[in-house]
Amino acid sequence: MGKIAENLLRLRDEVALACRKSGRGHQEVRIVCVSKGRSIEEIKEAISCGVTDIGENRIQEALLKLNLLRAPNSELRTHFVGHLQTNKAKDAVNIFDLIHSVDSLRLAEAINKAAAALNKVQDVLVQVNVSGEESKFGIKPEDAPNTIKEIYSLPNVSVKGLMTIAPFAPDPETARPHFRALRQLRDEVNALSAMSYELRALSMGMSDDFREAVEEGATIIRIGRRIFDS
Ligand SMILES: *Cc1c(COP(=O)(O)O)cnc(C)c1O
């Protein structure tokens, strides 16, 4: 068995274990294979091992690669996980099923306009900077209810949930409070919106901290190195 196949088997086992530990069903967690910087051959191998969701973080790279990866009848789902500039919104809407990184109303408006021109309703997540790190993109948690409400009112954008990137730390336990904070924020926003909309998705957890994220309620984890590296 090749390295990627072995990595994926182990990853799925570990996700299932984290689900069991926290009383969740393993089908509640979608694994997005983050393929930035990987070759077409590597990505095709991952797809042949059952990967259904591919994530990229640069528009130019994704434009080149996704064309080569999408077979006519493939069910490949595409995710944008990087920082999106407003002037690239149109390209992103063209090629991605889910944009994880909406971090301003201005960006959401640009996505809405591009999606309207394509007759598409674009699924998005709102990126929240729960840790408050200066270097991170994302809206402030205290702005989330209002910003989400405004984004929600855009007709060609559909807000599915929230995304965050935990600060880098050697011990993955340090990420847990940030994951918990994102889940609580989602639940607060849902309570405030009083059933006019419900956010379900939580995109959180990467190669080093996906177990903690799953235990705290992640519905999408974004994994690169654990799939492609030994
Ligand atoms: C690269 C990247 C990932 C995957 O990171 P790994 O540590 O390789 O699993 C996840 N999310 C985002 C936003 C990324 O840029």
Side-chain angles (χ1 to χ4, degrees), residues 32 54-57 59 77-86 88-104 107-115 118 120-128 151 156-164 201 203 220 222:
V32 172
I54 289 286
E56 287 283 339
N57 73 339
I59 294 292
R77 274 181 298 260
T78 54
H79 301 252
F80 188 71
V81 301
H83 178 62
L84 185 58
Q85 286 169 317
T86 310
K88 299 274 173 62
K90 199 171 150 194
D91 286 324
V93 168
N94 247 316
I95 56 177
F96 291 105
D97 296 310
L98 180 63
I99 298 172
H100 290 228
S101 47
V102 173
D103 59 1
S104 69
L107 175 59
E109 284 168 346
I111 291 171
N112 182 62
K113 193 174 158 200
L118 286 175
K120 176 179 182 182
V121 175
Q122 177 67 50
D123 288 346
V124 304
L125 305 177
V126 173
Q127 182 171 357
V128 184
I151 296 173
N156 290 77
V157 171
S158 177
V159 188
K160 298 298 182 189
L162 306 179
M163 179 271 223
T164 201
S203 169
I220 302 173
R222 309 178 306 265

XYZ file of all heavy atoms in Angstrom, residues 32 54-57 59 77-86 88-104 107-115 118 120-128 151 156-164 201 203 220 222:
502
model
N -11.539 17.413 4.505
C -11.099 18.135 3.306
C -9.596 17.938 3.166
O -8.827 18.242 4.084
C -11.429 19.644 3.397
C -10.780 20.400 2.237
C -12.941 19.858 3.394
N -11.455 18.488 -1.887
C -10.115 19.028 -2.100
C -10.113 20.497 -1.688
O -11.017 21.242 -2.066
C -9.761 18.926 -3.611
C -9.525 17.476 -4.008
C -8.555 19.775 -3.963
C -8.221 16.917 -3.526
N -9.096 20.915 -0.933
C -8.991 22.315 -0.524
C -7.737 22.962 -1.065
O -6.665 22.363 -1.053
N -7.866 24.190 -1.549
C -6.712 24.954 -2.034
C -6.733 26.322 -1.372
O -7.786 26.784 -0.932
C -6.772 25.100 -3.564
C -6.446 23.812 -4.324
C -4.951 23.503 -4.374
O -4.135 24.427 -4.190
O -4.598 22.323 -4.595
N -5.554 26.978 -1.330
C -5.522 28.289 -0.670
C -5.031 29.414 -1.564
O -4.854 30.525 -1.098
C -4.709 28.234 0.632
C -3.221 28.127 0.371
O -2.812 27.713 -0.713
N -2.409 28.499 1.343
N -5.766 31.142 -5.499
C -6.647 31.100 -6.668
C -5.890 30.666 -7.926
O -6.358 29.795 -8.669
C -7.307 32.482 -6.896
C -8.257 32.818 -5.728
C -8.052 32.522 -8.223
C -9.481 31.955 -5.652
N -15.687 17.641 -4.604
C -16.125 18.933 -4.042
C -14.893 19.786 -3.758
O -13.901 19.279 -3.233
C -16.930 18.714 -2.761
C -18.407 18.448 -3.010
C -19.124 18.259 -1.694
N -18.577 17.104 -1.005
C -19.146 15.893 -0.991
N -20.284 15.696 -1.598
N -18.578 14.897 -0.350
N -14.995 21.075 -4.090
C -13.821 21.943 -4.006
C -14.024 23.025 -2.940
O -15.097 23.610 -2.817
C -13.561 22.600 -5.372
O -14.751 23.268 -5.806
C -13.172 21.555 -6.402
N -12.958 23.246 -2.178
C -13.017 24.166 -1.034
C -11.911 25.202 -1.160
O -10.759 24.848 -1.424
C -12.804 23.403 0.279
C -13.809 22.328 0.530
N -14.793 22.442 1.484
C -13.993 21.111 -0.056
C -15.540 21.339 1.483
N -15.071 20.514 0.564
N -12.246 26.458 -0.906
C -11.213 27.482 -0.834
C -10.961 27.799 0.623
O -11.863 28.221 1.350
C -11.607 28.752 -1.599
C -10.464 29.725 -1.669
C -9.361 29.451 -2.470
C -10.462 30.880 -0.917
C -8.274 30.321 -2.522
C -9.377 31.761 -0.963
C -8.291 31.481 -1.769
N -9.700 27.605 1.072
C -9.399 27.775 2.497
C -8.446 28.928 2.776
O -8.129 29.213 3.929
C -8.837 26.460 3.114
C -9.841 25.328 2.966
C -7.493 26.073 2.509
N -7.956 29.612 1.729
C -6.989 30.692 1.938
C -7.662 32.044 2.090
O -8.882 32.157 2.069
N -6.827 33.078 2.233
C -7.378 34.432 2.305
C -7.811 34.857 0.905
O -7.062 34.700 -0.049
C -6.318 35.394 2.844
C -6.809 36.803 2.905
N -7.882 37.169 3.688
C -6.406 37.922 2.263
C -8.104 38.463 3.538
N -7.225 38.944 2.680
N -9.024 35.360 0.788
C -9.555 35.729 -0.534
C -9.583 37.242 -0.678
O -10.167 37.950 0.148
C -10.966 35.149 -0.700
C -11.614 35.353 -2.075
C -10.770 34.753 -3.194
C -13.012 34.725 -2.093
N -8.944 37.730 -1.760
C -9.011 39.164 -2.046
C -10.277 39.434 -2.853
O -10.684 38.620 -3.684
C -7.777 39.584 -2.836
C -6.547 39.622 -1.949
C -5.278 39.779 -2.748
O -5.098 39.143 -3.782
N -4.398 40.623 -2.261
N -10.854 40.598 -2.596
C -12.116 40.955 -3.246
C -12.031 40.830 -4.764
O -12.967 40.354 -5.404
C -12.502 42.394 -2.855
O -12.409 42.483 -1.426
C -13.909 42.718 -3.263
N -10.553 38.760 -6.462
C -10.503 37.361 -6.920
C -11.820 36.633 -6.644
O -11.925 35.420 -6.862
C -9.367 36.608 -6.206
C -7.981 37.174 -6.459
C -7.401 36.581 -7.733
C -6.087 37.235 -8.135
N -5.022 37.057 -7.143
N -12.800 37.366 -6.170
C -14.067 36.720 -5.785
C -14.693 35.977 -6.965
O -15.221 34.872 -6.814
C -15.036 37.756 -5.223
N -14.600 36.589 -8.144
C -15.236 35.996 -9.319
C -14.621 34.627 -9.647
O -15.343 33.659 -9.900
C -15.050 36.953 -10.499
C -15.990 36.720 -11.643
C -15.844 37.867 -12.647
C -16.141 37.368 -14.041
N -15.695 38.338 -15.055
N -13.282 34.565 -9.639
C -12.615 33.282 -9.894
C -13.016 32.256 -8.838
O -13.277 31.096 -9.159
C -11.090 33.451 -9.852
C -10.561 34.168 -11.091
O -11.122 33.933 -12.177
O -9.611 34.949 -10.950
N -13.061 32.698 -7.595
C -13.388 31.757 -6.510
C -14.799 31.191 -6.694
O -15.020 29.988 -6.531
C -13.252 32.450 -5.159
N -15.726 32.050 -7.043
C -17.115 31.607 -7.232
C -17.203 30.626 -8.401
O -17.979 29.675 -8.382
C -18.036 32.829 -7.444
C -19.411 32.403 -7.932
C -18.141 33.634 -6.148
N -16.371 30.878 -9.398
C -16.353 29.999 -10.568
C -15.939 28.574 -10.250
O -16.436 27.633 -10.860
C -15.370 30.560 -11.599
C -16.075 31.034 -12.837
O -16.963 30.351 -13.329
N -15.687 32.196 -13.322
N -14.995 28.410 -9.335
C -14.392 27.079 -9.197
C -14.610 26.395 -7.852
O -14.314 25.217 -7.728
C -12.871 27.104 -9.514
C -12.124 28.109 -8.638
C -12.634 27.407 -10.981
C -10.606 28.120 -8.876
N -15.141 27.094 -6.858
C -15.246 26.443 -5.549
C -16.690 26.216 -5.109
O -17.552 27.077 -5.276
C -14.510 27.268 -4.482
C -13.024 27.242 -4.661
C -12.355 28.340 -5.166
C -12.300 26.092 -4.363
C -10.976 28.305 -5.352
C -10.928 26.051 -4.550
C -10.264 27.155 -5.048
N -16.906 25.052 -4.525
C -18.223 24.739 -3.962
C -18.428 25.434 -2.624
O -19.537 25.856 -2.311
C -18.367 23.220 -3.779
C -18.315 22.482 -5.105
O -19.047 22.891 -6.024
O -17.522 21.534 -5.233
N -17.355 25.507 -1.814
C -17.479 26.145 -0.500
C -16.267 27.046 -0.260
O -15.129 26.593 -0.345
C -17.568 25.080 0.611
C -17.712 25.598 2.041
C -19.011 26.374 2.244
C -17.648 24.440 3.054
N -16.538 28.312 0.042
C -15.478 29.261 0.390
C -15.463 29.394 1.916
O -16.440 29.835 2.510
C -15.721 30.633 -0.285
C -15.702 30.486 -1.811
C -14.669 31.651 0.180
C -16.131 31.743 -2.578
N -14.343 28.959 2.541
C -14.275 28.893 4.010
C -13.916 30.219 4.665
O -13.959 30.310 5.887
C -13.187 27.893 4.442
C -13.503 26.459 4.186
N -13.333 25.478 5.141
C -13.968 25.815 3.085
C -13.666 24.291 4.638
N -14.046 24.472 3.391
N -13.468 31.197 3.884
C -12.699 32.299 4.456
C -13.322 33.678 4.254
O -12.613 34.639 4.019
C -11.301 32.265 3.828
O -11.412 32.111 2.407
N -14.634 33.779 4.351
C -15.265 35.095 4.235
C -15.024 35.860 5.536
O -15.466 35.432 6.605
C -16.773 34.965 3.935
C -17.452 36.326 3.995
C -16.975 34.323 2.568
N -14.263 36.959 5.436
C -13.847 37.658 6.648
C -14.256 39.131 6.659
O -13.734 39.907 7.456
C -12.345 37.499 6.882
C -11.527 38.030 5.711
O -12.123 38.527 4.738
O -10.294 37.933 5.758
N -15.154 39.503 5.757
C -15.693 40.868 5.802
C -16.992 40.909 5.001
O -17.220 40.079 4.113
C -14.700 41.877 5.212
O -14.584 41.678 3.817
N -16.185 41.555 1.286
C -15.858 40.357 0.509
C -17.135 39.571 0.196
O -17.327 39.095 -0.929
C -14.857 39.472 1.268
C -14.527 38.126 0.622
C -13.938 38.303 -0.779
C -13.552 37.334 1.508
N -18.012 39.454 1.171
C -19.271 38.727 0.945
C -20.079 39.405 -0.157
O -20.706 38.726 -0.992
C -20.070 38.655 2.241
N -20.056 40.735 -0.196
C -20.792 41.468 -1.235
C -20.197 41.206 -2.617
O -20.930 41.061 -3.601
C -20.798 42.966 -0.909
C -21.792 43.290 0.212
C -21.635 44.697 0.791
O -20.595 45.350 0.533
O -22.547 45.125 1.530
N -18.866 41.134 -2.684
C -18.213 40.833 -3.963
C -18.562 39.415 -4.422
O -18.806 39.173 -5.610
C -16.697 40.997 -3.826
N -18.602 38.484 -3.487
C -18.972 37.098 -3.814
C -20.431 37.057 -4.278
O -20.776 36.389 -5.259
C -18.762 36.182 -2.580
C -17.264 36.033 -2.285
C -19.406 34.810 -2.794
C -16.947 35.339 -0.964
N -21.278 37.801 -3.593
C -22.691 37.844 -3.951
C -22.887 38.337 -5.385
O -23.657 37.753 -6.159
C -23.427 38.762 -2.968
C -24.910 38.827 -3.238
O -25.601 37.819 -3.164
N -25.404 40.012 -3.571
N -22.146 39.380 -5.740
C -22.263 39.969 -7.071
C -21.789 38.968 -8.138
O -22.451 38.759 -9.162
C -21.416 41.245 -7.118
C -21.670 42.115 -8.304
C -20.890 43.428 -8.163
C -20.716 44.050 -9.551
N -19.614 45.010 -9.566
N -20.645 38.330 -7.867
C -20.093 37.364 -8.825
C -21.028 36.164 -8.962
O -21.236 35.642 -10.061
C -18.709 36.912 -8.369
N -21.593 35.729 -7.850
C -22.487 34.564 -7.877
C -23.773 34.899 -8.634
O -24.284 34.075 -9.411
C -22.793 34.097 -6.450
N -23.464 34.574 -12.252
C -23.389 33.176 -12.708
C -24.659 32.395 -12.393
O -24.706 31.186 -12.618
C -22.215 32.471 -12.020
C -20.805 32.811 -12.486
C -19.788 32.114 -11.603
C -20.624 32.404 -13.946
N -25.697 31.589 -9.492
C -25.287 30.589 -8.515
C -25.581 31.132 -7.118
O -25.574 32.343 -6.911
C -23.782 30.344 -8.674
C -23.144 29.395 -7.672
C -21.643 29.212 -7.938
C -21.038 28.213 -6.925
N -19.587 28.019 -7.098
N -25.893 30.248 -6.198
C -25.894 30.641 -4.796
C -24.630 30.032 -4.189
O -24.458 28.814 -4.181
C -27.146 30.149 -4.046
C -27.047 30.488 -2.559
C -28.399 30.797 -4.635
N -23.726 30.893 -3.759
C -22.414 30.430 -3.292
C -22.457 30.075 -1.808
O -22.783 30.918 -0.981
C -21.365 31.527 -3.532
C -19.978 31.177 -3.026
C -19.353 30.031 -3.809
O -19.327 30.039 -5.032
N -18.857 29.023 -3.088
N -22.099 28.832 -1.488
C -21.981 28.430 -0.083
C -20.697 29.011 0.509
O -19.629 28.909 -0.108
C -21.924 26.899 0.037
C -23.277 26.262 -0.256
O -24.295 26.985 -0.280
O -23.312 25.032 -0.454
N -20.811 29.575 1.695
C -19.639 30.151 2.353
C -19.645 29.830 3.844
O -20.675 29.496 4.435
C -19.573 31.697 2.199
C -19.611 32.126 0.735
C -20.670 32.398 2.995
N -18.455 29.947 4.435
C -18.308 29.962 5.881
C -17.746 31.327 6.259
O -17.030 31.941 5.466
C -17.342 28.867 6.350
C -17.665 27.438 5.919
C -16.569 26.483 6.409
C -19.021 26.999 6.439
N -18.058 31.788 7.438
C -17.507 33.046 7.921
C -16.310 32.723 8.823
O -16.435 31.949 9.782
C -18.577 33.863 8.684
C -17.943 35.095 9.336
C -19.692 34.282 7.719
N -15.163 33.277 8.453
C -13.955 33.022 9.234
C -13.919 33.949 10.441
O -14.061 35.162 10.312
C -12.697 33.238 8.374
C -11.412 32.941 9.142
C -10.180 32.949 8.250
O -10.271 33.115 7.032
N -9.019 32.752 8.855
N -13.720 33.350 11.609
C -13.693 34.125 12.853
C -12.310 33.979 13.489
O -11.770 32.875 13.583
C -14.784 33.639 13.838
C -14.802 34.524 15.073
C -16.161 33.626 13.180
N -24.517 39.343 6.020
C -24.137 38.435 4.935
C -25.327 37.534 4.588
O -25.588 37.239 3.422
C -22.899 37.582 5.322
C -21.683 38.487 5.535
C -22.593 36.537 4.250
C -20.447 37.765 6.071
N -27.460 35.833 -3.073
C -26.694 34.811 -3.782
C -25.538 34.239 -2.961
O -24.596 33.661 -3.497
C -26.190 35.350 -5.125
C -27.340 35.533 -6.101
O -28.102 36.499 -6.002
N -27.513 34.584 -7.002
N -25.631 34.421 -1.640
C -24.660 33.830 -0.724
C -25.428 33.036 0.324
O -26.439 33.506 0.839
C -23.819 34.936 -0.023
C -22.956 34.354 1.081
C -22.946 35.668 -1.038
N -24.965 31.826 0.594
C -25.600 31.021 1.640
C -24.572 30.709 2.728
O -23.575 30.028 2.473
C -26.147 29.727 1.025
O -26.695 28.908 2.027
N -24.808 31.243 3.923
C -23.863 31.031 5.032
C -24.150 29.680 5.684
O -25.234 29.458 6.215
C -23.988 32.131 6.111
C -22.861 31.986 7.135
C -23.962 33.510 5.501
N -23.173 28.792 5.647
C -23.360 27.442 6.184
C -22.814 27.275 7.601
O -23.156 26.321 8.286
C -22.673 26.419 5.272
C -23.227 26.362 3.866
C -24.680 25.947 3.914
C -25.262 25.835 2.521
N -26.726 25.633 2.564
N -21.895 28.184 8.001
C -21.309 28.025 9.323
C -20.067 28.872 9.491
O -19.899 29.875 8.797
N -19.198 28.439 10.396
C -18.031 29.228 10.791
C -16.734 28.446 10.574
O -16.726 27.213 10.581
C -18.135 29.609 12.275
C -19.415 30.321 12.721
C -19.366 30.601 14.228
C -19.639 31.613 11.949
N -15.658 29.189 10.409
C -14.336 28.583 10.250
C -13.347 29.321 11.137
O -13.483 30.529 11.349
C -13.911 28.690 8.781
C -12.538 28.124 8.456
S -11.191 29.289 8.631
C -10.228 28.931 7.165
N -12.368 28.586 11.663
C -11.269 29.263 12.354
C -9.973 28.498 12.161
O -9.981 27.306 11.826
C -11.556 29.472 13.860
O -10.720 30.525 14.359
C -11.304 28.204 14.681
N -22.224 24.209 10.121
C -20.843 23.796 9.871
C -19.840 24.491 10.792
O -19.955 25.679 11.086
C -20.487 24.079 8.415
N -15.744 24.532 10.520
C -14.516 24.116 9.856
C -13.350 24.475 10.761
O -12.979 25.638 10.899
C -14.388 24.827 8.501
O -13.096 24.642 7.952
N -16.078 19.876 9.733
C -15.141 19.831 8.611
C -13.737 19.990 9.195
O -13.491 20.922 9.965
C -15.384 21.003 7.617
C -16.812 20.976 7.066
C -14.362 20.960 6.479
C -17.162 22.204 6.211
N -9.554 20.189 8.006
C -8.774 20.531 6.807
C -7.375 19.956 6.965
O -6.584 20.427 7.769
C -8.699 22.062 6.656
C -10.064 22.761 6.738
C -9.886 24.277 6.623
N -8.945 24.795 7.593
C -9.276 25.316 8.780
N -10.539 25.411 9.144
N -8.338 25.745 9.599
